[in-house]
């Protein structure tokens, strides 16, 4: 059985042991909004694997890099903002791809047919078969690229 890294399963004492911190430190980080664990019906804190990783990052930034808690909060907030913008960018790129695909699918190209100069619809990137009659009209497609 595999437990998701976002599943809140660790009580505060276990989370503190896994992160190498004192439980009171975790409570302080919760009050400051650095790590916000899920709550049980009885208001007990439950930490996930992602929360433990964030606690380790906070500890590394604080002890190894000398960043204060206000600076760590800003770093975490900015990282969350970057992640949200990346997700939104991916959504917009998917939407652009879908619209381009629909536009290409719906784009129609017209040309003069070889028999009598009739207007015919042809696939994008194709030429009408045969030679048009002299003086035949070929319609311009303003949506065609390149």
């Amino acid at each position: 059985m595999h437990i998701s890294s976002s599943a809140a399963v660790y009580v505060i004492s276990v989370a503190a042991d896994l992160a190498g911190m004192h439980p009171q430190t975790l409570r302080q980080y919760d009050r400051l909004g650095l790590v916000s664990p899920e709550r049980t019906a009885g208001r007990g804190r439950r930490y996930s694997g992602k929360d433990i990783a964030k606690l380790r990052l906070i500890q590394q930034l604080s002890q190894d890099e000398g960043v204060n808690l206000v600076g760590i909060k800003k770093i975490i907030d900015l990282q969350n903002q970057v992640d949200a913008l990346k997700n939104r960018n991916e959504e917009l790129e998917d939407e652009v791809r879908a619209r381009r695909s629909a536009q290409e699918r719906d784009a129609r190209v017209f040309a003069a047919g070889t028999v009598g100069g009739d207007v015919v619809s042809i696939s994008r990137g194709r030429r009408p078969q045969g030679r048009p009659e002299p003086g035949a009209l070929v319609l311009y497609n303003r949506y065609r690229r390149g």
Side-chain angles (χ1 to χ4, degrees):
M1 181 170 121
H2 180 271
I3 298 174
S4 169
S5 64
S6 60
V9 294
Y10 303 107
V11 295
I12 193 166
S13 59
V14 174
D17 284 343
L18 291 172
M21 299 177 175
H22 191 276
Q24 191 59 36
T25 305
L26 273 63
R27 290 183 189 96
Q28 179 184 8
Y29 290 171
D30 186 11
R31 282 191 298 276
L32 294 172
L34 293 172
V35 177
S36 299
E38 291 186 25
R39 299 289 184 144
T40 64
R43 303 288 298 146
R45 294 172 174 89
R46 292 291 185 269
Y47 292 85
S48 68
K50 287 182 180 180
D51 293 332
I52 303 298
K54 190 183 283 189
L55 288 167
R56 289 178 180 156
L57 172 66
I58 292 168
Q59 186 177 43
Q60 186 248 334
L61 288 171
S62 175
Q63 292 178 358
D64 299 343
E65 305 296 329
V67 180
N68 65 20
L69 294 179
V70 173
I72 292 171
K73 174 113 173 85
K74 286 202 179 279
I75 290 169
I76 290 172
D77 290 344
L78 288 171
Q79 186 60 53
N80 291 339
Q81 188 176 13
V82 166
D83 292 342
L85 289 171
K86 283 181 181 179
N87 290 337
R88 180 65 179 142
N89 190 47
E90 288 175 9
E91 290 171 4
L92 291 172
E93 286 175 347
D94 291 343
E95 185 178 328
V96 166
R97 276 192 291 275
R99 287 185 183 209
R100 281 187 181 153
S101 175
Q103 186 179 30
E104 288 175 5
R105 187 178 54 246
D106 296 340
R108 299 187 318 171
V109 178
F110 297 96
T114 56
V115 180
D118 295 337
V119 175
V120 294
S121 177
I122 58 174
S123 300
R124 180 182 281 285
R126 300 275 183 197
R127 294 181 181 264
Q129 298 299 320
R131 293 222 158 221
E133 295 177 14
L137 175 66
V138 177
L139 299 179
Y140 171 73
N141 179 358
R142 69 179 185 159
Y143 299 108
R144 183 170 181 207
R145 293 187 195 122

